[in-house]
mmCIF file of all heavy atoms in Angstrom:
data_model
loop_
_atom_site.group_PDB
_atom_site.id
_atom_site.type_symbol
_atom_site.label_atom_id
_atom_site.label_comp_id
_atom_site.label_asym_id
_atom_site.label_seq_id
_atom_site.Cartn_x
_atom_site.Cartn_y
_atom_site.Cartn_z
ATOM 1 N N ILE A 1 -3.404 -11.191 -75.288
ATOM 2 C CA ILE A 1 -4.300 -10.060 -75.016
ATOM 3 C C ILE A 1 -3.489 -8.936 -74.397
ATOM 4 O O ILE A 1 -2.844 -9.124 -73.355
ATOM 5 C CB ILE A 1 -5.422 -10.484 -74.053
ATOM 6 C CG1 ILE A 1 -6.148 -11.724 -74.599
ATOM 7 C CG2 ILE A 1 -6.409 -9.332 -73.843
ATOM 8 C CD1 ILE A 1 -7.068 -12.393 -73.598
ATOM 9 N N ASP A 2 -3.485 -7.771 -75.044
ATOM 10 C CA ASP A 2 -2.674 -6.675 -74.517
ATOM 11 C C ASP A 2 -3.466 -5.825 -73.529
ATOM 12 O O ASP A 2 -4.654 -6.077 -73.266
ATOM 13 C CB ASP A 2 -2.064 -5.831 -75.645
ATOM 14 C CG ASP A 2 -3.049 -4.925 -76.369
ATOM 15 O OD1 ASP A 2 -4.221 -4.821 -75.937
ATOM 16 O OD2 ASP A 2 -2.644 -4.293 -77.365
ATOM 17 N N GLY A 3 -2.785 -4.846 -72.959
ATOM 18 C CA GLY A 3 -3.392 -4.030 -71.924
ATOM 19 C C GLY A 3 -4.581 -3.221 -72.388
ATOM 20 O O GLY A 3 -5.433 -2.836 -71.588
ATOM 21 N N ALA A 4 -4.658 -2.952 -73.695
ATOM 22 C CA ALA A 4 -5.786 -2.210 -74.245
ATOM 23 C C ALA A 4 -6.940 -3.123 -74.643
ATOM 24 O O ALA A 4 -7.981 -2.651 -75.112
ATOM 25 C CB ALA A 4 -5.327 -1.399 -75.457
ATOM 26 N N GLY A 5 -6.732 -4.446 -74.492
ATOM 27 C CA GLY A 5 -7.791 -5.406 -74.820
ATOM 28 C C GLY A 5 -7.703 -5.993 -76.214
ATOM 29 O O GLY A 5 -8.564 -6.795 -76.596
ATOM 30 N N ALA A 6 -6.681 -5.620 -77.008
ATOM 31 C CA ALA A 6 -6.519 -6.213 -78.338
ATOM 32 C C ALA A 6 -6.210 -7.700 -78.194
ATOM 33 O O ALA A 6 -5.398 -8.101 -77.365
ATOM 34 C CB ALA A 6 -5.398 -5.510 -79.098
ATOM 35 N N ARG A 7 -6.859 -8.534 -79.029
ATOM 36 C CA ARG A 7 -6.759 -9.986 -78.893
ATOM 37 C C ARG A 7 -6.254 -10.620 -80.180
ATOM 38 O O ARG A 7 -6.866 -10.457 -81.238
ATOM 39 C CB ARG A 7 -8.128 -10.567 -78.550
ATOM 40 C CG ARG A 7 -8.762 -9.995 -77.284
ATOM 41 C CD ARG A 7 -10.256 -10.261 -77.247
ATOM 42 N NE ARG A 7 -10.939 -9.641 -78.388
ATOM 43 C CZ ARG A 7 -12.251 -9.733 -78.607
ATOM 44 N NH1 ARG A 7 -13.018 -10.405 -77.768
ATOM 45 N NH2 ARG A 7 -12.800 -9.139 -79.655
ATOM 46 N N ILE A 8 -5.148 -11.343 -80.059
ATOM 47 C CA ILE A 8 -4.619 -12.105 -81.182
ATOM 48 C C ILE A 8 -4.719 -13.581 -80.852
ATOM 49 O O ILE A 8 -4.370 -14.015 -79.752
ATOM 50 C CB ILE A 8 -3.165 -11.720 -81.486
ATOM 51 C CG1 ILE A 8 -3.103 -10.312 -82.083
ATOM 52 C CG2 ILE A 8 -2.526 -12.722 -82.441
ATOM 53 C CD1 ILE A 8 -1.742 -9.887 -82.542
ATOM 54 N N LEU A 9 -5.194 -14.375 -81.808
ATOM 55 C CA LEU A 9 -5.252 -15.825 -81.677
ATOM 56 C C LEU A 9 -4.198 -16.432 -82.592
ATOM 57 O O LEU A 9 -4.002 -15.956 -83.716
ATOM 58 C CB LEU A 9 -6.641 -16.332 -82.065
ATOM 59 C CG LEU A 9 -6.956 -17.788 -81.742
ATOM 60 C CD1 LEU A 9 -7.163 -17.963 -80.243
ATOM 61 C CD2 LEU A 9 -8.196 -18.253 -82.508
ATOM 62 N N THR A 10 -3.509 -17.469 -82.120
ATOM 63 C CA THR A 10 -2.494 -18.128 -82.947
ATOM 64 C C THR A 10 -2.953 -19.520 -83.357
ATOM 65 O O THR A 10 -3.535 -20.251 -82.555
ATOM 66 C CB THR A 10 -1.169 -18.270 -82.184
ATOM 67 O OG1 THR A 10 -1.339 -19.175 -81.079
ATOM 68 C CG2 THR A 10 -0.679 -16.927 -81.655
ATOM 69 N N ASP A 11 -2.724 -19.868 -84.597
ATOM 70 C CA ASP A 11 -2.944 -21.219 -85.131
ATOM 71 C C ASP A 11 -4.217 -21.884 -84.598
ATOM 72 O O ASP A 11 -4.156 -22.893 -83.875
ATOM 73 C CB ASP A 11 -1.724 -22.094 -84.832
ATOM 74 C CG ASP A 11 -0.622 -21.924 -85.865
ATOM 75 O OD1 ASP A 11 -0.659 -20.922 -86.602
ATOM 76 O OD2 ASP A 11 0.274 -22.769 -85.942
ATOM 77 N N PRO A 12 -5.379 -21.366 -84.962
ATOM 78 C CA PRO A 12 -6.632 -21.955 -84.475
ATOM 79 C C PRO A 12 -6.789 -23.403 -84.925
ATOM 80 O O PRO A 12 -6.568 -23.745 -86.088
ATOM 81 C CB PRO A 12 -7.709 -21.059 -85.098
ATOM 82 C CG PRO A 12 -7.061 -20.436 -86.289
ATOM 83 C CD PRO A 12 -5.623 -20.263 -85.904
ATOM 84 N N CYS A 13 -7.173 -24.249 -83.991
ATOM 85 C CA CYS A 13 -7.195 -25.694 -84.202
ATOM 86 C C CYS A 13 -8.610 -26.166 -84.559
ATOM 87 O O CYS A 13 -9.595 -25.729 -83.942
ATOM 88 C CB CYS A 13 -6.710 -26.373 -82.918
ATOM 89 S SG CYS A 13 -6.576 -28.156 -83.020
ATOM 90 N N ASP A 14 -8.711 -27.056 -85.515
ATOM 91 C CA ASP A 14 -9.970 -27.701 -85.871
ATOM 92 C C ASP A 14 -10.576 -28.333 -84.611
ATOM 93 O O ASP A 14 -9.927 -29.133 -83.939
ATOM 94 C CB ASP A 14 -9.682 -28.769 -86.926
ATOM 95 C CG ASP A 14 -10.925 -29.473 -87.426
ATOM 96 O OD1 ASP A 14 -11.999 -29.342 -86.808
ATOM 97 O OD2 ASP A 14 -10.818 -30.182 -88.438
ATOM 98 N N PRO A 15 -11.812 -27.999 -84.253
ATOM 99 C CA PRO A 15 -12.426 -28.590 -83.066
ATOM 100 C C PRO A 15 -12.454 -30.118 -83.099
ATOM 101 O O PRO A 15 -12.506 -30.761 -82.049
ATOM 102 C CB PRO A 15 -13.841 -28.014 -83.085
ATOM 103 C CG PRO A 15 -13.716 -26.721 -83.818
ATOM 104 C CD PRO A 15 -12.674 -26.977 -84.875
ATOM 105 N N ALA A 16 -12.394 -30.713 -84.299
ATOM 106 C CA ALA A 16 -12.414 -32.174 -84.411
ATOM 107 C C ALA A 16 -11.208 -32.816 -83.740
ATOM 108 O O ALA A 16 -11.245 -33.996 -83.384
ATOM 109 C CB ALA A 16 -12.461 -32.585 -85.885
ATOM 110 N N VAL A 17 -10.133 -32.048 -83.554
ATOM 111 C CA VAL A 17 -8.958 -32.576 -82.863
ATOM 112 C C VAL A 17 -9.291 -32.901 -81.412
ATOM 113 O O VAL A 17 -8.734 -33.826 -80.822
ATOM 114 C CB VAL A 17 -7.775 -31.588 -82.961
ATOM 115 C CG1 VAL A 17 -6.595 -32.052 -82.115
ATOM 116 C CG2 VAL A 17 -7.341 -31.427 -84.417
ATOM 117 N N GLY A 18 -10.234 -32.125 -80.822
ATOM 118 C CA GLY A 18 -10.689 -32.465 -79.486
ATOM 119 C C GLY A 18 -10.483 -31.428 -78.413
ATOM 120 O O GLY A 18 -10.789 -31.676 -77.239
ATOM 121 N N TYR A 19 -9.995 -30.243 -78.770
ATOM 122 C CA TYR A 19 -9.737 -29.213 -77.760
ATOM 123 C C TYR A 19 -10.890 -28.228 -77.583
ATOM 124 O O TYR A 19 -10.690 -27.106 -77.146
ATOM 125 C CB TYR A 19 -8.454 -28.456 -78.100
ATOM 126 C CG TYR A 19 -7.201 -29.257 -77.843
ATOM 127 C CD1 TYR A 19 -6.452 -29.748 -78.899
ATOM 128 C CD2 TYR A 19 -6.786 -29.528 -76.549
ATOM 129 C CE1 TYR A 19 -5.295 -30.494 -78.668
ATOM 130 C CE2 TYR A 19 -5.641 -30.278 -76.309
ATOM 131 C CZ TYR A 19 -4.903 -30.750 -77.369
ATOM 132 O OH TYR A 19 -3.770 -31.493 -77.134
ATOM 133 N N GLY A 20 -12.083 -28.634 -77.926
ATOM 134 C CA GLY A 20 -13.242 -27.772 -77.704
ATOM 135 C C GLY A 20 -13.874 -27.323 -79.009
ATOM 136 O O GLY A 20 -13.207 -27.167 -80.034
ATOM 137 N N ASN A 21 -15.196 -27.123 -78.967
ATOM 138 C CA ASN A 21 -15.961 -26.781 -80.165
ATOM 139 C C ASN A 21 -16.481 -25.362 -80.174
ATOM 140 O O ASN A 21 -17.193 -24.969 -81.081
ATOM 141 C CB ASN A 21 -17.149 -27.753 -80.292
ATOM 142 C CG ASN A 21 -16.698 -29.173 -80.527
ATOM 143 O OD1 ASN A 21 -15.937 -29.436 -81.451
ATOM 144 N ND2 ASN A 21 -17.154 -30.092 -79.698
ATOM 145 N N ASN A 22 -16.151 -24.580 -79.153
ATOM 146 C CA ASN A 22 -16.676 -23.225 -79.071
ATOM 147 C C ASN A 22 -15.917 -22.261 -79.975
ATOM 148 O O ASN A 22 -14.792 -22.533 -80.399
ATOM 149 C CB ASN A 22 -16.606 -22.720 -77.629
ATOM 150 C CG ASN A 22 -17.529 -23.505 -76.712
ATOM 151 O OD1 ASN A 22 -18.570 -23.984 -77.150
ATOM 152 N ND2 ASN A 22 -17.146 -23.642 -75.467
ATOM 153 N N GLY A 23 -16.542 -21.125 -80.248
ATOM 154 C CA GLY A 23 -15.895 -20.095 -81.041
ATOM 155 C C GLY A 23 -14.758 -19.441 -80.284
ATOM 156 O O GLY A 23 -14.601 -19.615 -79.073
ATOM 157 N N ALA A 24 -13.955 -18.692 -80.999
ATOM 158 C CA ALA A 24 -12.772 -18.056 -80.415
ATOM 159 C C ALA A 24 -12.855 -16.549 -80.624
ATOM 160 O O ALA A 24 -12.776 -16.081 -81.760
ATOM 161 C CB ALA A 24 -11.509 -18.610 -81.061
ATOM 162 N N GLU A 25 -13.024 -15.794 -79.548
ATOM 163 C CA GLU A 25 -13.076 -14.343 -79.652
ATOM 164 C C GLU A 25 -11.680 -13.799 -79.910
ATOM 165 O O GLU A 25 -10.747 -14.073 -79.160
ATOM 166 C CB GLU A 25 -13.652 -13.748 -78.377
ATOM 167 C CG GLU A 25 -15.143 -14.006 -78.192
ATOM 168 C CD GLU A 25 -15.957 -13.408 -79.321
ATOM 169 O OE1 GLU A 25 -15.667 -12.264 -79.720
ATOM 170 O OE2 GLU A 25 -16.882 -14.082 -79.807
ATOM 171 N N CYS A 26 -11.518 -13.045 -80.985
ATOM 172 C CA CYS A 26 -10.227 -12.436 -81.309
ATOM 173 C C CYS A 26 -10.456 -11.302 -82.294
ATOM 174 O O CYS A 26 -11.493 -11.229 -82.962
ATOM 175 C CB CYS A 26 -9.258 -13.466 -81.882
ATOM 176 S SG CYS A 26 -9.795 -14.218 -83.431
ATOM 177 N N ASP A 27 -9.461 -10.420 -82.376
ATOM 178 C CA ASP A 27 -9.496 -9.327 -83.347
ATOM 179 C C ASP A 27 -8.625 -9.634 -84.560
ATOM 180 O O ASP A 27 -8.846 -9.110 -85.647
ATOM 181 C CB ASP A 27 -9.002 -8.040 -82.685
ATOM 182 C CG ASP A 27 -9.825 -7.702 -81.444
ATOM 183 O OD1 ASP A 27 -11.048 -7.521 -81.582
ATOM 184 O OD2 ASP A 27 -9.243 -7.653 -80.340
ATOM 185 N N ALA A 28 -7.607 -10.472 -84.361
ATOM 186 C CA ALA A 28 -6.717 -10.894 -85.440
ATOM 187 C C ALA A 28 -6.262 -12.311 -85.138
ATOM 188 O O ALA A 28 -6.253 -12.748 -83.984
ATOM 189 C CB ALA A 28 -5.516 -9.962 -85.573
ATOM 190 N N VAL A 29 -5.866 -13.031 -86.182
ATOM 191 C CA VAL A 29 -5.449 -14.420 -86.025
ATOM 192 C C VAL A 29 -4.255 -14.694 -86.931
ATOM 193 O O VAL A 29 -4.241 -14.271 -88.093
ATOM 194 C CB VAL A 29 -6.619 -15.388 -86.327
ATOM 195 C CG1 VAL A 29 -7.234 -15.119 -87.684
ATOM 196 C CG2 VAL A 29 -6.175 -16.844 -86.233
ATOM 197 N N THR A 30 -3.229 -15.343 -86.387
ATOM 198 C CA THR A 30 -2.077 -15.733 -87.196
ATOM 199 C C THR A 30 -2.186 -17.217 -87.534
ATOM 200 O O THR A 30 -2.626 -18.025 -86.709
ATOM 201 C CB THR A 30 -0.751 -15.470 -86.462
ATOM 202 O OG1 THR A 30 -0.675 -16.283 -85.275
ATOM 203 C CG2 THR A 30 -0.621 -14.007 -86.078
ATOM 204 N N VAL A 31 -1.764 -17.552 -88.753
ATOM 205 C CA VAL A 31 -1.834 -18.934 -89.250
ATOM 206 C C VAL A 31 -0.469 -19.311 -89.805
ATOM 207 O O VAL A 31 0.038 -18.665 -90.723
ATOM 208 C CB VAL A 31 -2.917 -19.072 -90.343
ATOM 209 C CG1 VAL A 31 -2.893 -20.471 -90.950
ATOM 210 C CG2 VAL A 31 -4.291 -18.748 -89.777
ATOM 211 N N SER A 32 0.121 -20.366 -89.265
ATOM 212 C CA SER A 32 1.475 -20.740 -89.669
ATOM 213 C C SER A 32 1.514 -21.551 -90.961
ATOM 214 O O SER A 32 2.498 -21.497 -91.699
ATOM 215 C CB SER A 32 2.159 -21.536 -88.548
ATOM 216 O OG SER A 32 1.498 -22.776 -88.328
ATOM 217 N N HIS A 33 0.473 -22.333 -91.221
ATOM 218 C CA HIS A 33 0.434 -23.141 -92.436
ATOM 219 C C HIS A 33 -0.968 -23.694 -92.624
ATOM 220 O O HIS A 33 -1.839 -23.501 -91.769
ATOM 221 C CB HIS A 33 1.470 -24.276 -92.388
ATOM 222 C CG HIS A 33 1.244 -25.270 -91.308
ATOM 223 N ND1 HIS A 33 1.401 -24.975 -89.975
ATOM 224 C CD2 HIS A 33 0.868 -26.577 -91.353
ATOM 225 C CE1 HIS A 33 1.144 -26.048 -89.255
ATOM 226 N NE2 HIS A 33 0.810 -27.026 -90.061
ATOM 227 N N GLY A 34 -1.193 -24.389 -93.730
ATOM 228 C CA GLY A 34 -2.546 -24.743 -94.134
ATOM 229 C C GLY A 34 -3.085 -26.065 -93.652
ATOM 230 O O GLY A 34 -3.995 -26.600 -94.289
ATOM 231 N N HIS A 35 -2.597 -26.613 -92.563
ATOM 232 C CA HIS A 35 -3.145 -27.859 -92.034
ATOM 233 C C HIS A 35 -4.286 -27.562 -91.065
ATOM 234 O O HIS A 35 -4.251 -26.570 -90.331
ATOM 235 C CB HIS A 35 -2.050 -28.674 -91.348
ATOM 236 C CG HIS A 35 -1.028 -29.194 -92.317
ATOM 237 N ND1 HIS A 35 0.194 -29.690 -91.928
ATOM 238 C CD2 HIS A 35 -1.045 -29.293 -93.670
ATOM 239 C CE1 HIS A 35 0.885 -30.073 -92.986
ATOM 240 N NE2 HIS A 35 0.155 -29.838 -94.051
ATOM 241 N N HIS A 36 -5.280 -28.455 -91.020
ATOM 242 C CA HIS A 36 -6.534 -28.166 -90.320
ATOM 243 C C HIS A 36 -6.376 -27.961 -88.813
ATOM 244 O O HIS A 36 -7.226 -27.331 -88.183
ATOM 245 C CB HIS A 36 -7.546 -29.291 -90.581
ATOM 246 C CG HIS A 36 -7.231 -30.565 -89.845
ATOM 247 N ND1 HIS A 36 -7.925 -30.970 -88.734
ATOM 248 C CD2 HIS A 36 -6.285 -31.517 -90.074
ATOM 249 C CE1 HIS A 36 -7.434 -32.122 -88.294
ATOM 250 N NE2 HIS A 36 -6.441 -32.470 -89.089
ATOM 251 N N ASP A 37 -5.304 -28.485 -88.242
ATOM 252 C CA ASP A 37 -5.093 -28.294 -86.805
ATOM 253 C C ASP A 37 -4.353 -26.990 -86.501
ATOM 254 O O ASP A 37 -3.966 -26.744 -85.353
ATOM 255 C CB ASP A 37 -4.356 -29.483 -86.189
ATOM 256 C CG ASP A 37 -3.065 -29.844 -86.901
ATOM 257 O OD1 ASP A 37 -2.933 -29.565 -88.108
ATOM 258 O OD2 ASP A 37 -2.161 -30.417 -86.250
ATOM 259 N N HIS A 38 -4.192 -26.136 -87.529
ATOM 260 C CA HIS A 38 -3.516 -24.851 -87.346
ATOM 261 C C HIS A 38 -4.198 -23.692 -88.080
ATOM 262 O O HIS A 38 -3.814 -22.543 -87.870
ATOM 263 C CB HIS A 38 -2.066 -24.935 -87.837
ATOM 264 C CG HIS A 38 -1.212 -25.842 -87.028
ATOM 265 N ND1 HIS A 38 -0.386 -25.402 -86.017
ATOM 266 C CD2 HIS A 38 -1.069 -27.191 -87.056
ATOM 267 C CE1 HIS A 38 0.244 -26.439 -85.471
ATOM 268 N NE2 HIS A 38 -0.162 -27.529 -86.077
ATOM 269 N N ASN A 39 -5.166 -23.968 -88.946
ATOM 270 C CA ASN A 39 -5.724 -22.898 -89.782
ATOM 271 C C ASN A 39 -7.247 -22.821 -89.731
ATOM 272 O O ASN A 39 -7.880 -22.301 -90.646
ATOM 273 C CB ASN A 39 -5.278 -23.081 -91.237
ATOM 274 C CG ASN A 39 -6.013 -24.216 -91.953
ATOM 275 O OD1 ASN A 39 -6.596 -25.097 -91.304
ATOM 276 N ND2 ASN A 39 -5.986 -24.218 -93.275
ATOM 277 N N TRP A 40 -7.850 -23.281 -88.626
ATOM 278 C CA TRP A 40 -9.310 -23.374 -88.567
ATOM 279 C C TRP A 40 -9.909 -22.018 -88.192
ATOM 280 O O TRP A 40 -10.463 -21.821 -87.111
ATOM 281 C CB TRP A 40 -9.723 -24.451 -87.580
ATOM 282 C CG TRP A 40 -11.110 -24.974 -87.818
ATOM 283 C CD1 TRP A 40 -12.238 -24.662 -87.113
ATOM 284 C CD2 TRP A 40 -11.516 -25.884 -88.839
ATOM 285 N NE1 TRP A 40 -13.322 -25.325 -87.622
ATOM 286 C CE2 TRP A 40 -12.917 -26.078 -88.698
ATOM 287 C CE3 TRP A 40 -10.847 -26.536 -89.876
ATOM 288 C CZ2 TRP A 40 -13.637 -26.924 -89.533
ATOM 289 C CZ3 TRP A 40 -11.562 -27.365 -90.706
ATOM 290 C CH2 TRP A 40 -12.943 -27.552 -90.526
ATOM 291 N N THR A 41 -9.804 -21.064 -89.123
ATOM 292 C CA THR A 41 -10.272 -19.705 -88.841
ATOM 293 C C THR A 41 -11.796 -19.612 -88.783
ATOM 294 O O THR A 41 -12.331 -18.572 -88.406
ATOM 295 C CB THR A 41 -9.730 -18.723 -89.893
ATOM 296 O OG1 THR A 41 -10.134 -19.154 -91.200
ATOM 297 C CG2 THR A 41 -8.210 -18.639 -89.836
ATOM 298 N N GLN A 42 -12.482 -20.679 -89.132
ATOM 299 C CA GLN A 42 -13.955 -20.689 -89.038
ATOM 300 C C GLN A 42 -14.438 -20.441 -87.619
ATOM 301 O O GLN A 42 -15.562 -19.988 -87.413
ATOM 302 C CB GLN A 42 -14.506 -22.036 -89.526
ATOM 303 C CG GLN A 42 -14.299 -22.309 -91.006
ATOM 304 C CD GLN A 42 -13.050 -23.107 -91.286
ATOM 305 O OE1 GLN A 42 -12.004 -22.836 -90.705
ATOM 306 N NE2 GLN A 42 -13.153 -24.081 -92.170
ATOM 307 N N LYS A 43 -13.594 -20.747 -86.623
ATOM 308 C CA LYS A 43 -14.011 -20.533 -85.238
ATOM 309 C C LYS A 43 -13.885 -19.069 -84.809
ATOM 310 O O LYS A 43 -14.335 -18.693 -83.735
ATOM 311 C CB LYS A 43 -13.194 -21.414 -84.290
ATOM 312 C CG LYS A 43 -11.733 -21.026 -84.158
ATOM 313 C CD LYS A 43 -11.046 -21.733 -83.001
ATOM 314 C CE LYS A 43 -11.061 -23.231 -83.121
ATOM 315 N NZ LYS A 43 -10.273 -23.885 -82.042
ATOM 316 N N CYS A 44 -13.273 -18.247 -85.659
ATOM 317 C CA CYS A 44 -13.025 -16.836 -85.330
ATOM 318 C C CYS A 44 -14.168 -15.958 -85.838
ATOM 319 O O CYS A 44 -14.898 -16.327 -86.754
ATOM 320 C CB CYS A 44 -11.724 -16.372 -85.976
ATOM 321 S SG CYS A 44 -10.284 -17.346 -85.493
ATOM 322 N N PRO A 45 -14.339 -14.766 -85.276
ATOM 323 C CA PRO A 45 -15.350 -13.841 -85.791
ATOM 324 C C PRO A 45 -15.095 -13.517 -87.261
ATOM 325 O O PRO A 45 -13.949 -13.519 -87.726
ATOM 326 C CB PRO A 45 -15.154 -12.590 -84.919
ATOM 327 C CG PRO A 45 -14.525 -13.096 -83.659
ATOM 328 C CD PRO A 45 -13.640 -14.231 -84.084
ATOM 329 N N ALA A 46 -16.154 -13.235 -87.976
ATOM 330 C CA ALA A 46 -16.036 -12.991 -89.415
ATOM 331 C C ALA A 46 -15.158 -11.796 -89.735
ATOM 332 O O ALA A 46 -14.550 -11.735 -90.806
ATOM 333 C CB ALA A 46 -17.428 -12.801 -90.017
ATOM 334 N N ASP A 47 -15.096 -10.824 -88.808
ATOM 335 C CA ASP A 47 -14.307 -9.623 -89.078
ATOM 336 C C ASP A 47 -12.881 -9.699 -88.526
ATOM 337 O O ASP A 47 -12.144 -8.709 -88.577
ATOM 338 C CB ASP A 47 -15.006 -8.379 -88.537
ATOM 339 C CG ASP A 47 -15.237 -8.437 -87.026
ATOM 340 O OD1 ASP A 47 -14.998 -9.505 -86.418
ATOM 341 O OD2 ASP A 47 -15.667 -7.411 -86.457
#
């Protein structure tokens, strides 16, 4: 999160792994590869 409030999320994890089931507030998201513990963008806002 930068000083202007811009939010980047990295490698969103499938909630089934166990680190929480809530959504993730972010403006952009980076994904390193297509495995479910790194690419679960469903938790991110649609935009």
Side-chain angles (χ1 to χ4, degrees):
I1 306 168
D2 74 7
R7 303 162 299 179
I8 290 186
L9 191 73
T10 66
D11 276 17
C13 183
D14 183 347
V17 174
Y19 287 108
N21 295 306
N22 294 329
E25 289 299 317
C26 62
D27 303 300
V29 54
T30 63
V31 174
S32 65
H33 63 291
H35 292 165
H36 73 105
D37 53 334
H38 294 263
N39 75 341
W40 202 257
T41 57
Q42 294 94 317
K43 69 168 60 175
C44 302
D47 60 352

